[in-house]
Short mmCIF file of all heavy atoms in Angstrom, two decimals:
data_model
loop_
_atom_site.label_atom_id
_atom_site.label_comp_id
_atom_site.label_asym_id
_atom_site.label_seq_id
_atom_site.Cartn_x
_atom_site.Cartn_y
_atom_site.Cartn_z
N MET S 1 91.31 225.84 124.25
CA MET S 1 90.61 226.86 125.00
C MET S 1 90.48 226.45 126.45
O MET S 1 90.56 227.28 127.34
CB MET S 1 89.25 227.13 124.37
CG MET S 1 88.53 228.22 125.08
SD MET S 1 87.08 228.97 124.32
CE MET S 1 86.32 227.77 123.34
N HIS S 2 90.28 225.16 126.72
CA HIS S 2 90.15 224.71 128.10
C HIS S 2 91.43 224.93 128.88
O HIS S 2 91.42 225.29 130.05
CB HIS S 2 89.72 223.25 128.13
CG HIS S 2 89.17 222.83 129.45
ND1 HIS S 2 89.55 221.67 130.08
CD2 HIS S 2 88.28 223.40 130.28
CE1 HIS S 2 88.92 221.55 131.23
NE2 HIS S 2 88.15 222.61 131.38
N GLY S 3 92.56 224.71 128.23
CA GLY S 3 93.86 224.98 128.87
C GLY S 3 94.03 226.45 129.24
O GLY S 3 94.54 226.78 130.30
N LEU S 4 93.60 227.33 128.34
CA LEU S 4 93.65 228.77 128.62
C LEU S 4 92.79 229.13 129.84
O LEU S 4 93.14 229.93 130.67
CB LEU S 4 93.21 229.58 127.41
CG LEU S 4 94.12 229.58 126.22
CD1 LEU S 4 93.45 230.28 125.04
CD2 LEU S 4 95.44 230.27 126.55
N HIS S 5 91.62 228.49 129.91
CA HIS S 5 90.72 228.76 131.04
C HIS S 5 91.39 228.36 132.36
O HIS S 5 91.28 229.08 133.34
CB HIS S 5 89.44 227.95 130.84
CG HIS S 5 88.66 227.73 132.10
ND1 HIS S 5 88.02 228.75 132.76
CD2 HIS S 5 88.43 226.61 132.82
CE1 HIS S 5 87.43 228.27 133.84
NE2 HIS S 5 87.68 226.97 133.88
N HIS S 6 92.07 227.23 132.38
CA HIS S 6 92.73 226.82 133.62
C HIS S 6 94.00 227.60 133.90
O HIS S 6 94.40 227.74 135.05
CB HIS S 6 93.01 225.31 133.58
CG HIS S 6 91.78 224.50 133.86
ND1 HIS S 6 91.27 224.32 135.12
CD2 HIS S 6 90.94 223.85 133.01
CE1 HIS S 6 90.18 223.61 135.06
NE2 HIS S 6 89.94 223.32 133.78
N ALA S 7 94.62 228.14 132.86
CA ALA S 7 95.81 228.99 133.07
C ALA S 7 95.43 230.30 133.75
O ALA S 7 96.17 230.82 134.58
CB ALA S 7 96.52 229.25 131.74
N SER S 8 94.29 230.86 133.39
CA SER S 8 93.80 232.09 134.03
C SER S 8 92.29 231.92 134.27
O SER S 8 91.48 232.35 133.46
CB SER S 8 94.10 233.34 133.23
OG SER S 8 93.81 233.20 131.90
N PRO S 9 91.92 231.28 135.41
CA PRO S 9 90.55 230.91 135.66
C PRO S 9 89.57 232.08 135.79
O PRO S 9 88.37 231.90 135.65
CB PRO S 9 90.61 230.08 136.93
CG PRO S 9 91.95 230.28 137.50
CD PRO S 9 92.85 230.81 136.42
N LEU S 10 90.05 233.26 136.12
CA LEU S 10 89.14 234.38 136.29
C LEU S 10 88.91 235.16 135.00
O LEU S 10 88.05 236.04 134.95
CB LEU S 10 89.66 235.32 137.38
CG LEU S 10 89.78 234.69 138.77
CD1 LEU S 10 90.32 235.70 139.77
CD2 LEU S 10 88.44 234.16 139.24
N ALA S 11 89.63 234.83 133.95
CA ALA S 11 89.43 235.49 132.65
C ALA S 11 88.12 234.98 132.03
O ALA S 11 87.70 233.85 132.26
CB ALA S 11 90.61 235.20 131.74
N LEU S 12 87.49 235.85 131.27
CA LEU S 12 86.25 235.46 130.61
C LEU S 12 86.54 234.78 129.29
O LEU S 12 86.49 235.37 128.22
CB LEU S 12 85.38 236.73 130.40
CG LEU S 12 84.91 237.41 131.66
CD1 LEU S 12 84.18 238.69 131.33
CD2 LEU S 12 84.04 236.50 132.49
N ILE S 13 86.88 233.50 129.39
CA ILE S 13 87.24 232.69 128.22
C ILE S 13 86.15 231.62 128.09
O ILE S 13 85.85 230.90 129.03
CB ILE S 13 88.61 232.01 128.38
CG1 ILE S 13 89.68 233.04 128.55
CG2 ILE S 13 88.90 231.09 127.21
CD1 ILE S 13 91.04 232.48 128.96
N GLY S 14 85.55 231.52 126.90
CA GLY S 14 84.57 230.46 126.71
C GLY S 14 83.38 230.94 125.92
O GLY S 14 83.39 231.98 125.28
N THR S 15 82.33 230.16 125.95
CA THR S 15 81.12 230.44 125.20
C THR S 15 80.22 231.38 125.98
O THR S 15 79.98 231.14 127.17
CB THR S 15 80.36 229.10 124.95
OG1 THR S 15 81.26 228.19 124.36
CG2 THR S 15 79.16 229.35 124.07
N PRO S 16 79.72 232.42 125.35
CA PRO S 16 78.78 233.32 126.04
C PRO S 16 77.51 232.56 126.47
O PRO S 16 77.09 231.60 125.81
CB PRO S 16 78.42 234.37 125.00
CG PRO S 16 79.51 234.30 123.99
CD PRO S 16 80.01 232.89 124.01
N SER S 17 76.92 232.96 127.56
CA SER S 17 75.73 232.30 128.10
C SER S 17 74.59 232.26 127.13
O SER S 17 73.87 231.25 127.05
CB SER S 17 75.30 232.97 129.40
OG SER S 17 76.29 232.91 130.35
N TRP S 18 74.40 233.31 126.37
CA TRP S 18 73.25 233.36 125.46
C TRP S 18 73.37 232.31 124.36
O TRP S 18 72.37 231.76 123.93
CB TRP S 18 73.04 234.76 124.88
CG TRP S 18 74.11 235.22 123.93
CD1 TRP S 18 75.25 235.90 124.25
CD2 TRP S 18 74.16 235.01 122.50
NE1 TRP S 18 75.99 236.14 123.11
CE2 TRP S 18 75.34 235.60 122.03
CE3 TRP S 18 73.30 234.37 121.61
CZ2 TRP S 18 75.69 235.58 120.69
CZ3 TRP S 18 73.67 234.36 120.27
CH2 TRP S 18 74.83 234.95 119.83
N ILE S 19 74.60 231.95 123.98
CA ILE S 19 74.76 230.92 122.97
C ILE S 19 74.38 229.57 123.59
O ILE S 19 73.75 228.72 122.94
CB ILE S 19 76.20 230.90 122.41
CG1 ILE S 19 76.42 232.16 121.57
CG2 ILE S 19 76.45 229.64 121.58
CD1 ILE S 19 77.82 232.29 121.00
N SER S 20 74.79 229.33 124.82
CA SER S 20 74.43 228.06 125.50
C SER S 20 72.92 227.94 125.61
O SER S 20 72.39 226.85 125.39
CB SER S 20 75.07 228.03 126.90
OG SER S 20 76.47 228.04 126.81
N VAL S 21 72.22 229.01 125.96
CA VAL S 21 70.78 228.97 126.10
C VAL S 21 70.11 228.64 124.76
O VAL S 21 69.21 227.81 124.66
CB VAL S 21 70.23 230.29 126.69
CG1 VAL S 21 68.72 230.35 126.57
CG2 VAL S 21 70.66 230.45 128.14
N VAL S 22 70.59 229.28 123.69
CA VAL S 22 70.03 229.02 122.36
C VAL S 22 70.27 227.59 121.92
O VAL S 22 69.36 226.92 121.46
CB VAL S 22 70.60 230.03 121.33
CG1 VAL S 22 70.21 229.63 119.91
CG2 VAL S 22 70.12 231.45 121.63
N VAL S 23 71.49 227.09 122.10
CA VAL S 23 71.82 225.72 121.69
C VAL S 23 70.99 224.71 122.49
O VAL S 23 70.43 223.77 121.92
CB VAL S 23 73.33 225.45 121.83
CG1 VAL S 23 73.64 223.97 121.68
CG2 VAL S 23 74.10 226.26 120.81
N LEU S 24 70.89 224.90 123.78
CA LEU S 24 70.12 223.97 124.60
C LEU S 24 68.63 224.06 124.26
O LEU S 24 67.95 223.02 124.24
CB LEU S 24 70.31 224.24 126.09
CG LEU S 24 71.68 223.86 126.65
CD1 LEU S 24 71.87 224.38 128.09
CD2 LEU S 24 71.88 222.36 126.61
N SER S 25 68.13 225.23 123.95
CA SER S 25 66.74 225.36 123.56
C SER S 25 66.44 224.66 122.25
O SER S 25 65.41 223.98 122.12
CB SER S 25 66.34 226.85 123.47
OG SER S 25 66.41 227.46 124.74
N VAL S 26 67.34 224.83 121.28
CA VAL S 26 67.10 224.21 119.99
C VAL S 26 67.25 222.70 120.04
O VAL S 26 66.49 221.97 119.42
CB VAL S 26 68.05 224.84 118.94
CG1 VAL S 26 68.08 224.04 117.64
CG2 VAL S 26 67.70 226.30 118.67
N THR S 27 68.21 222.23 120.82
CA THR S 27 68.48 220.78 120.84
C THR S 27 67.60 220.01 121.83
O THR S 27 67.44 218.77 121.67
CB THR S 27 69.94 220.47 121.16
OG1 THR S 27 70.28 221.03 122.44
CG2 THR S 27 70.85 221.03 120.08
N ILE S 28 67.04 220.68 122.84
CA ILE S 28 66.23 219.98 123.84
C ILE S 28 64.79 220.46 123.83
O ILE S 28 63.86 219.64 123.71
CB ILE S 28 66.85 220.16 125.24
CG1 ILE S 28 68.21 219.48 125.29
CG2 ILE S 28 65.94 219.56 126.31
CD1 ILE S 28 69.00 219.73 126.52
N LEU S 29 64.55 221.76 123.95
CA LEU S 29 63.19 222.28 124.06
C LEU S 29 62.34 221.96 122.84
O LEU S 29 61.25 221.43 122.95
CB LEU S 29 63.21 223.76 124.32
CG LEU S 29 61.83 224.44 124.42
CD1 LEU S 29 61.07 223.91 125.61
CD2 LEU S 29 61.96 225.95 124.48
N VAL S 30 62.84 222.30 121.67
CA VAL S 30 62.02 222.16 120.44
C VAL S 30 61.67 220.70 120.17
O VAL S 30 60.48 220.36 120.00
CB VAL S 30 62.72 222.84 119.25
CG1 VAL S 30 61.98 222.57 117.97
CG2 VAL S 30 62.82 224.36 119.49
N PRO S 31 62.65 219.77 120.15
CA PRO S 31 62.25 218.38 119.88
C PRO S 31 61.33 217.80 120.96
O PRO S 31 60.39 217.08 120.66
CB PRO S 31 63.58 217.62 119.85
CG PRO S 31 64.62 218.64 119.60
CD PRO S 31 64.10 219.91 120.20
N ALA S 32 61.62 218.13 122.23
CA ALA S 32 60.77 217.61 123.30
C ALA S 32 59.36 218.19 123.24
O ALA S 32 58.38 217.52 123.51
CB ALA S 32 61.40 217.89 124.67
N TRP S 33 59.25 219.47 122.82
CA TRP S 33 57.96 220.13 122.69
C TRP S 33 57.13 219.42 121.60
O TRP S 33 55.95 219.15 121.80
CB TRP S 33 58.17 221.57 122.34
CG TRP S 33 56.93 222.46 122.38
CD1 TRP S 33 55.63 222.08 122.50
CD2 TRP S 33 56.93 223.87 122.34
NE1 TRP S 33 54.82 223.15 122.49
CE2 TRP S 33 55.58 224.28 122.40
CE3 TRP S 33 57.93 224.84 122.23
CZ2 TRP S 33 55.22 225.64 122.36
CZ3 TRP S 33 57.54 226.18 122.20
CH2 TRP S 33 56.21 226.57 122.28
N LEU S 34 57.80 219.10 120.51
CA LEU S 34 57.09 218.45 119.41
C LEU S 34 56.65 217.02 119.77
O LEU S 34 55.60 216.55 119.34
CB LEU S 34 57.99 218.42 118.15
CG LEU S 34 58.30 219.78 117.55
CD1 LEU S 34 59.32 219.62 116.42
CD2 LEU S 34 57.05 220.48 117.06
N CYS S 35 57.45 216.35 120.59
CA CYS S 35 57.15 214.95 120.92
C CYS S 35 56.30 214.80 122.19
O CYS S 35 55.49 213.89 122.27
CB CYS S 35 58.43 214.15 121.11
SG CYS S 35 59.41 213.99 119.61
N LEU S 36 56.54 215.64 123.19
CA LEU S 36 55.96 215.44 124.51
C LEU S 36 55.01 216.51 124.98
O LEU S 36 54.37 216.37 126.04
CB LEU S 36 57.07 215.27 125.56
CG LEU S 36 58.11 214.20 125.24
CD1 LEU S 36 59.28 214.29 126.19
CD2 LEU S 36 57.45 212.82 125.33
N GLY S 37 54.94 217.64 124.30
CA GLY S 37 54.12 218.77 124.72
C GLY S 37 54.96 219.78 125.47
O GLY S 37 56.07 219.51 125.94
N PHE S 38 54.42 221.00 125.60
CA PHE S 38 55.18 222.08 126.16
C PHE S 38 55.54 221.90 127.64
O PHE S 38 56.65 222.22 128.05
CB PHE S 38 54.45 223.42 125.98
CG PHE S 38 55.20 224.58 126.57
CD1 PHE S 38 56.33 225.07 125.93
CD2 PHE S 38 54.81 225.15 127.77
CE1 PHE S 38 57.05 226.12 126.46
CE2 PHE S 38 55.56 226.19 128.32
CZ PHE S 38 56.67 226.69 127.66
N ASN S 39 54.57 221.45 128.45
CA ASN S 39 54.84 221.35 129.88
C ASN S 39 56.02 220.42 130.20
O ASN S 39 56.89 220.76 130.99
CB ASN S 39 53.60 220.88 130.65
CG ASN S 39 52.53 221.97 130.71
OD1 ASN S 39 52.84 223.14 130.60
ND2 ASN S 39 51.30 221.55 130.87
N VAL S 40 56.04 219.26 129.57
CA VAL S 40 57.14 218.31 129.81
C VAL S 40 58.44 218.89 129.22
O VAL S 40 59.51 218.81 129.87
CB VAL S 40 56.82 216.95 129.19
CG1 VAL S 40 58.01 216.01 129.29
CG2 VAL S 40 55.61 216.34 129.89
N ALA S 41 58.36 219.44 128.04
CA ALA S 41 59.56 219.99 127.37
C ALA S 41 60.17 221.13 128.18
O ALA S 41 61.39 221.23 128.32
CB ALA S 41 59.23 220.46 125.98
N ASP S 42 59.31 221.98 128.72
CA ASP S 42 59.78 223.11 129.50
C ASP S 42 60.50 222.63 130.78
O ASP S 42 61.59 223.07 131.11
CB ASP S 42 58.60 224.01 129.86
CG ASP S 42 59.05 225.27 130.58
OD1 ASP S 42 60.03 225.90 130.12
OD2 ASP S 42 58.40 225.62 131.58
N GLY S 43 59.89 221.67 131.48
CA GLY S 43 60.52 221.14 132.66
C GLY S 43 61.84 220.43 132.39
O GLY S 43 62.81 220.59 133.12
N LEU S 44 61.87 219.68 131.32
CA LEU S 44 63.09 218.99 130.92
C LEU S 44 64.19 219.99 130.59
O LEU S 44 65.33 219.85 131.05
CB LEU S 44 62.82 218.11 129.70
CG LEU S 44 64.00 217.37 129.10
CD1 LEU S 44 64.56 216.35 130.08
CD2 LEU S 44 63.63 216.72 127.80
N THR S 45 63.86 221.01 129.83
CA THR S 45 64.85 222.00 129.42
C THR S 45 65.37 222.79 130.63
O THR S 45 66.58 223.02 130.75
CB THR S 45 64.26 222.97 128.38
OG1 THR S 45 63.75 222.20 127.30
CG2 THR S 45 65.30 223.94 127.87
N VAL S 46 64.48 223.19 131.49
CA VAL S 46 64.92 223.90 132.71
C VAL S 46 65.83 223.01 133.56
O VAL S 46 66.85 223.46 134.10
CB VAL S 46 63.71 224.41 133.53
CG1 VAL S 46 64.14 224.91 134.90
CG2 VAL S 46 62.99 225.53 132.77
N GLY S 47 65.48 221.74 133.70
CA GLY S 47 66.33 220.83 134.47
C GLY S 47 67.71 220.66 133.87
O GLY S 47 68.70 220.68 134.59
N VAL S 48 67.78 220.53 132.54
CA VAL S 48 69.10 220.41 131.89
C VAL S 48 69.88 221.69 132.05
O VAL S 48 71.09 221.67 132.32
CB VAL S 48 68.91 220.03 130.40
CG1 VAL S 48 70.22 220.15 129.65
CG2 VAL S 48 68.36 218.63 130.29
N MET S 49 69.23 222.85 131.90
CA MET S 49 69.94 224.13 132.04
C MET S 49 70.45 224.34 133.47
O MET S 49 71.54 224.82 133.68
CB MET S 49 69.06 225.27 131.61
CG MET S 49 68.86 225.35 130.13
SD MET S 49 67.90 226.81 129.70
CE MET S 49 67.87 226.66 127.89
N LEU S 50 69.64 223.94 134.44
CA LEU S 50 70.09 224.03 135.84
C LEU S 50 71.28 223.11 136.11
O LEU S 50 72.23 223.49 136.82
CB LEU S 50 68.97 223.74 136.81
CG LEU S 50 67.93 224.86 136.99
CD1 LEU S 50 66.78 224.39 137.84
CD2 LEU S 50 68.55 226.11 137.57
N GLY S 51 71.22 221.90 135.56
CA GLY S 51 72.34 220.97 135.69
C GLY S 51 73.60 221.54 135.05
O GLY S 51 74.71 221.42 135.61
N TYR S 52 73.46 222.12 133.87
CA TYR S 52 74.61 222.74 133.18
C TYR S 52 75.17 223.91 133.98
O TYR S 52 76.39 224.05 134.13
CB TYR S 52 74.15 223.17 131.80
CG TYR S 52 75.22 223.76 130.91
CD1 TYR S 52 76.23 222.96 130.41
CD2 TYR S 52 75.18 225.10 130.56
CE1 TYR S 52 77.21 223.48 129.57
CE2 TYR S 52 76.18 225.63 129.74
CZ TYR S 52 77.17 224.81 129.26
OH TYR S 52 78.14 225.34 128.46
N TRP S 53 74.29 224.72 134.55
CA TRP S 53 74.71 225.86 135.38
C TRP S 53 75.43 225.35 136.63
O TRP S 53 76.49 225.86 136.99
CB TRP S 53 73.50 226.69 135.77
CG TRP S 53 73.81 227.75 136.79
CD1 TRP S 53 74.41 228.94 136.57
CD2 TRP S 53 73.56 227.66 138.20
NE1 TRP S 53 74.54 229.59 137.78
CE2 TRP S 53 74.04 228.85 138.78
CE3 TRP S 53 72.97 226.68 139.01
CZ2 TRP S 53 73.93 229.08 140.13
CZ3 TRP S 53 72.90 226.93 140.36
CH2 TRP S 53 73.38 228.13 140.92
N TRP S 54 74.88 224.32 137.28
CA TRP S 54 75.50 223.77 138.48
C TRP S 54 76.88 223.17 138.19
O TRP S 54 77.81 223.35 138.97
CB TRP S 54 74.62 222.74 139.14
CG TRP S 54 75.17 222.24 140.45
CD1 TRP S 54 75.62 221.00 140.74
CD2 TRP S 54 75.38 223.03 141.62
NE1 TRP S 54 76.08 220.96 142.03
CE2 TRP S 54 75.94 222.21 142.60
CE3 TRP S 54 75.11 224.35 141.95
CZ2 TRP S 54 76.28 222.64 143.88
CZ3 TRP S 54 75.45 224.80 143.24
CH2 TRP S 54 76.02 223.96 144.16
N TYR S 55 77.03 222.53 137.04
CA TYR S 55 78.35 222.02 136.62
C TYR S 55 79.32 223.19 136.53
O TYR S 55 80.46 223.08 137.00
CB TYR S 55 78.25 221.30 135.26
CG TYR S 55 79.61 221.13 134.63
CD1 TYR S 55 80.48 220.14 135.06
CD2 TYR S 55 80.05 222.00 133.64
CE1 TYR S 55 81.74 220.00 134.51
CE2 TYR S 55 81.31 221.85 133.07
CZ TYR S 55 82.14 220.86 133.51
OH TYR S 55 83.41 220.76 132.98
N GLY S 56 78.92 224.32 135.95
CA GLY S 56 79.80 225.49 135.86
C GLY S 56 80.17 226.04 137.20
O GLY S 56 81.32 226.41 137.44
N VAL S 57 79.22 226.10 138.12
CA VAL S 57 79.52 226.59 139.49
C VAL S 57 80.53 225.68 140.17
O VAL S 57 81.53 226.16 140.72
CB VAL S 57 78.21 226.67 140.32
CG1 VAL S 57 78.52 226.89 141.79
CG2 VAL S 57 77.30 227.76 139.79
N VAL S 58 80.31 224.36 140.13
CA VAL S 58 81.23 223.43 140.77
C VAL S 58 82.61 223.50 140.10
O VAL S 58 83.62 223.46 140.77
CB VAL S 58 80.65 222.00 140.74
CG1 VAL S 58 81.68 220.97 141.16
CG2 VAL S 58 79.42 221.92 141.61
N HIS S 59 82.62 223.61 138.78
CA HIS S 59 83.88 223.68 138.06
C HIS S 59 84.66 224.93 138.49
O HIS S 59 85.89 224.86 138.65
CB HIS S 59 83.62 223.71 136.56
CG HIS S 59 84.85 223.70 135.72
ND1 HIS S 59 85.60 222.57 135.55
CD2 HIS S 59 85.47 224.68 135.02
CE1 HIS S 59 86.62 222.85 134.77
NE2 HIS S 59 86.57 224.11 134.45
N GLN S 60 84.01 226.06 138.65
CA GLN S 60 84.68 227.27 139.04
C GLN S 60 85.11 227.25 140.52
O GLN S 60 86.06 227.91 140.89
CB GLN S 60 83.79 228.50 138.80
CG GLN S 60 83.62 228.82 137.34
CD GLN S 60 84.95 229.20 136.69
OE1 GLN S 60 85.77 229.90 137.27
NE2 GLN S 60 85.13 228.72 135.49
N CYS S 61 84.38 226.53 141.36
CA CYS S 61 84.68 226.50 142.79
C CYS S 61 85.62 225.38 143.17
O CYS S 61 85.96 225.23 144.34
CB CYS S 61 83.39 226.36 143.58
SG CYS S 61 82.29 227.76 143.41
N HIS S 62 86.01 224.58 142.21
CA HIS S 62 86.90 223.45 142.47
C HIS S 62 88.18 223.96 143.13
O HIS S 62 88.70 225.03 142.76
CB HIS S 62 87.21 222.69 141.19
CG HIS S 62 87.87 221.40 141.43
ND1 HIS S 62 89.24 221.28 141.48
CD2 HIS S 62 87.37 220.17 141.64
CE1 HIS S 62 89.55 220.02 141.73
NE2 HIS S 62 88.43 219.34 141.83
N PRO S 63 88.72 223.26 144.11
CA PRO S 63 89.92 223.75 144.81
C PRO S 63 91.12 224.02 143.93
O PRO S 63 92.04 224.72 144.33
CB PRO S 63 90.25 222.59 145.80
CG PRO S 63 88.94 221.95 146.03
CD PRO S 63 88.18 222.07 144.73
N SER S 64 91.15 223.54 142.69
CA SER S 64 92.29 223.87 141.82
C SER S 64 92.22 225.34 141.38
O SER S 64 93.21 225.87 140.92
CB SER S 64 92.29 222.96 140.59
OG SER S 64 91.15 223.22 139.79
N SER S 65 91.08 225.98 141.55
CA SER S 65 90.94 227.41 141.24
C SER S 65 91.20 228.22 142.49
O SER S 65 90.30 228.72 143.13
CB SER S 65 89.53 227.71 140.70
OG SER S 65 89.22 226.91 139.60
N ARG S 66 92.44 228.31 142.86
CA ARG S 66 92.82 228.92 144.15
C ARG S 66 92.43 230.41 144.25
O ARG S 66 92.16 230.89 145.34
CB ARG S 66 94.34 228.84 144.35
CG ARG S 66 94.84 227.42 144.38
CD ARG S 66 94.59 226.77 145.71
NE ARG S 66 95.10 225.43 145.70
CZ ARG S 66 94.56 224.42 146.31
NH1 ARG S 66 93.48 224.61 147.03
NH2 ARG S 66 95.07 223.22 146.27
N GLU S 67 92.34 231.11 143.13
CA GLU S 67 92.05 232.54 143.19
C GLU S 67 90.58 232.81 143.51
O GLU S 67 90.23 233.87 143.98
CB GLU S 67 92.39 233.24 141.86
CG GLU S 67 93.84 233.18 141.52
CD GLU S 67 94.23 231.90 140.76
OE1 GLU S 67 93.31 231.19 140.32
OE2 GLU S 67 95.41 231.62 140.68
N HIS S 68 89.72 231.87 143.27
CA HIS S 68 88.28 232.06 143.44
C HIS S 68 87.93 232.06 144.91
O HIS S 68 88.31 231.16 145.66
CB HIS S 68 87.51 230.99 142.70
CG HIS S 68 86.08 231.39 142.41
ND1 HIS S 68 85.12 231.36 143.37
CD2 HIS S 68 85.52 231.84 141.28
CE1 HIS S 68 83.99 231.76 142.85
NE2 HIS S 68 84.20 232.06 141.57
N ILE S 69 87.16 233.03 145.36
CA ILE S 69 86.83 233.16 146.76
C ILE S 69 86.03 231.96 147.29
O ILE S 69 86.24 231.48 148.41
CB ILE S 69 86.09 234.49 147.04
CG1 ILE S 69 85.99 234.73 148.57
CG2 ILE S 69 84.74 234.53 146.39
CD1 ILE S 69 85.60 236.12 148.92
N LEU S 70 85.11 231.43 146.47
CA LEU S 70 84.33 230.27 146.92
C LEU S 70 85.20 229.03 147.07
O LEU S 70 84.98 228.22 147.95
CB LEU S 70 83.20 230.00 145.94
CG LEU S 70 82.04 230.99 146.00
CD1 LEU S 70 81.02 230.64 144.93
CD2 LEU S 70 81.39 231.01 147.34
N ALA S 71 86.24 228.91 146.25
CA ALA S 71 87.16 227.79 146.39
C ALA S 71 87.89 227.87 147.71
O ALA S 71 88.08 226.85 148.38
CB ALA S 71 88.16 227.77 145.23
N ARG S 72 88.26 229.05 148.13
CA ARG S 72 88.92 229.20 149.44
C ARG S 72 87.95 228.91 150.58
O ARG S 72 88.33 228.32 151.59
CB ARG S 72 89.49 230.60 149.57
CG ARG S 72 90.71 230.81 148.68
CD ARG S 72 91.30 232.14 148.94
NE ARG S 72 90.31 233.14 148.55
CZ ARG S 72 90.60 234.30 148.00
NH1 ARG S 72 91.83 234.66 147.82
NH2 ARG S 72 89.65 235.14 147.67
N LEU S 73 86.68 229.29 150.42
CA LEU S 73 85.72 229.05 151.49
C LEU S 73 85.39 227.55 151.63
O LEU S 73 85.10 227.10 152.75
CB LEU S 73 84.43 229.81 151.21
CG LEU S 73 84.51 231.33 151.33
CD1 LEU S 73 83.20 231.96 150.86
CD2 LEU S 73 84.83 231.75 152.76
N LEU S 74 85.47 226.82 150.53
CA LEU S 74 85.14 225.39 150.57
C LEU S 74 86.26 224.54 151.11
O LEU S 74 86.06 223.36 151.39
CB LEU S 74 84.74 224.92 149.16
CG LEU S 74 83.42 225.47 148.64
CD1 LEU S 74 83.22 225.03 147.19
CD2 LEU S 74 82.26 225.03 149.49
N GLN S 75 87.44 225.09 151.27
CA GLN S 75 88.58 224.31 151.77
C GLN S 75 88.51 224.06 153.24
O GLN S 75 88.00 224.75 154.00
CB GLN S 75 89.90 224.98 151.43
CG GLN S 75 90.17 224.96 149.97
CD GLN S 75 91.49 225.62 149.63
OE1 GLN S 75 92.15 226.19 150.50
NE2 GLN S 75 91.85 225.58 148.37
#
């Protein structure tokens, strides 16, 4: 699937966002909430989700994605 994504970077290939949110919530929010309390768990989960989102932005804007407008602006 990753090869298909790089073959046509503008195509919507991959995991839907809602699945990523559910998986991150179940694997990070719930255990951290049980161990550390809601405030810490919420901050941790939001930080991980923002990091995951930023990775996606950088991955899409990488200069190898020539068709993407942000990739052209960053050159």
Side-chain angles (χ1 to χ4, degrees):
M1 183 165 30
H2 197 227
L4 290 173
H5 159 69
H6 282 282
S8 47
L10 298 179
L12 296 175
I13 300 171
T15 307
S17 299
W18 68 269
I19 291 177
S20 297
V21 169
V22 170
V23 168
L24 288 171
S25 294
V26 168
T27 59
I28 296 171
L29 178 65
V30 173
W33 190 349
L34 294 173
C35 295
L36 304 170
F38 179 74
N39 288 337
V40 173
D42 186 45
L44 176 66
T45 305
V46 168
V48 169
M49 286 184 179
L50 285 174
Y52 183 69
W53 171 78
W54 185 247
Y55 164 78
V57 168
V58 170
H59 183 75
Q60 288 297 319
C61 295
H62 191 270
S64 66
S65 304
R66 299 281 180 214
E67 297 86 14
H68 200 283
I69 190 166
L70 288 177
R72 288 185 296 216
L73 291 173
L74 291 174
Q75 291 181 355

